[in-house]
Amino acid sequence: MPVMEPDLDATLLRDWARAVDEGPFSSLSWGERIAFTNPDSLTLLGALSAWTERVRLVTTVIVPQLHDPVMLAKALVTADLLSGGRLTVGIGVGGRHEDYCAVGADPASQTMREMAERIAIMKRVWAGEKLTESVLPVGPPPTQPGGPPLVVGTIGPKTLRSAATWAEGLAGITMDLDVAKQNELFDVARQAWRQAGKAEPYLATSFWFALGERDAARNQVREHLLRYMNWIPAEYVEAMAPTTGWAGSEDELLEVLRSFQAVGADEIHLIPTSSDRDQLRRAAEVVAEFRR
């Protein structure tokens, strides 16, 4: 979903969601920020549950430290109910202190330990435990047994290893589309999950994309990064923009998707750098060819 783009409205968001749902895609994903112009992730999740019928809904990512864990658990399990059990929850610590400060959260809580503590509370809610002396536990009960599956959003091996106890996989991101480096992180996940005595992890990566003539597409990515990465000095963003994300033709994108598939990616999340529906249409054509 193009949630980090400017000038969004309900019609545009609904049209994107329905086009993704009707197309060859396997899931619909979007990220969370607080001190930015994007829609609230949980409110949007409710709308996406109603606007779609087929695709999985994947939060990439929700930051538990920005929410009360009981209310977050209730909101997510409600969305899972509304979507008919199509929710996967990407969880991460986030990368911006300003988002923590905006909701009165302590930036010192931006740690895996603090996140794991909140996840434990959420799982207790989904298990039907009473957290207080209430007449009934916090509901509704999960549509998916145990609650919606959780995946960790990270690019760090240490974080990934620590998540093996509670996550079902990885929802990563690649900045420079280095397939070998991404496979190294996949291998960390595979080993960590084996050591935890768990089934093979779900492995996903993501990257910013722009389809079109190379220079124009690259500039589209650049403009998006300058707007989105507004907490980083512009000169640093300008320096990284030429090698961050992907820009090019449909045939080139198809080869990129196949290269990540070859190292075991179960799913690839394409992050829009424009809200133009033509970008979605062109991406859908690539994905249709990829899935043949």
Side-chain angles (χ1 to χ4, degrees), residues 119-134:
I119 290 168
I121 294 172
M122 291 164 59
K123 284 181 172 283
R124 288 178 62 196
V125 170
W126 294 339
E129 293 185 28
K130 290 185 181 180
L131 304 185
T132 64
E133 294 300 318
S134 58

Side-chain angles (χ1 to χ4, degrees), residues 52-67:
T52 62
E53 296 180 354
R54 180 189 60 84
V55 290
R56 286 202 70 80
L57 306 175
V58 185
T59 65
T60 54
V61 293
I62 292 287
V63 180
Q65 291 93 313
L66 303 181
H67 305 269

Side-chain angles (χ1 to χ4, degrees), residues 37-274:
T37 60
N38 63 301
D40 172 66
S41 292
L42 295 175
T43 306
L44 181 61
L45 172 56
L48 295 174
S49 298
W51 289 341
T52 62
E53 296 180 354
R54 180 189 60 84
V55 290
R56 286 202 70 80
L57 306 175
V58 185
T59 65
T60 54
V61 293
I62 292 287
V63 180
Q65 291 93 313
L66 303 181
H67 305 269
D68 176 89
V70 174
M71 290 301 297
L72 179 58
K74 188 177 182 75
L76 291 172
V77 81
T78 298
D80 200 38
L81 169 69
L82 295 174
S83 68
R86 290 185 288 120
L87 178 62
T88 294
V89 181
I91 296 280
V93 298
R96 292 163 294 279
H97 283 188
E98 64 178 6
D99 284 352
Y100 279 71
C101 295
V103 298
D106 184 357
S109 69
Q110 192 180 13
T111 66
M112 283 297 294
R113 171 177 287 195
E114 292 280 352
M115 187 172 74
E117 290 177 356
R118 286 160 173 78
I119 290 168
I121 294 172
M122 291 164 59
K123 284 181 172 283
R124 288 178 62 196
V125 170
W126 294 339
E129 293 185 28
K130 290 185 181 180
L131 304 185
T132 64
E133 294 300 318
S134 58
V135 176
L136 294 174
V138 175
T143 301
Q144 299 180 79
L150 304 178
V151 292
V152 61
T154 185
I155 58 173
K158 183 177 179 180
T159 300
L160 185 55
R161 292 188 186 99
S162 68
T165 57
W166 55 261
E168 295 192 23
L170 166 69
I173 186 170
T174 172
M175 304 289 281
D176 56 6
L177 281 83
D178 186 326
V179 177
K181 186 165 61 178
Q182 187 64 74
N183 190 40
E184 290 176 3
L185 192 63
F186 286 173
D187 281 342
V188 169
R190 294 179 183 111
Q191 182 178 14
W193 262 244
R194 283 195 296 269
Q195 290 178 343
K198 299 175 68 173
E200 286 292 302
Y202 160 93
L203 300 173
T205 191
S206 61
F207 53 83
W208 288 284
F209 83 97
L211 280 158
E213 186 275 326
R214 188 177 299 276
D215 289 344
R218 175 50 61 185
N219 190 57
Q220 177 178 306
V221 173
R222 169 185 166 272
E223 290 180 349
H224 173 87
L225 294 176
L226 285 168
R227 182 172 57 253
Y228 176 71
M229 294 184 169
N230 62 348
W231 73 95
I232 300 174
E235 59 268 29
Y236 296 156
V237 181
E238 290 280 14
M240 64 186 291
T243 57
T244 298
W246 177 90
S249 70
E250 283 86 344
D251 288 344
E252 290 168 327
L253 178 57
L254 181 60
E255 289 306 309
V256 168
L257 298 181
R258 286 172 173 162
S259 68
F260 282 106
Q261 181 188 43
V263 297
D266 295 303
E267 194 164 36
I268 302 161
H269 301 137
L270 300 173
I271 308 172
T273 55
S274 169

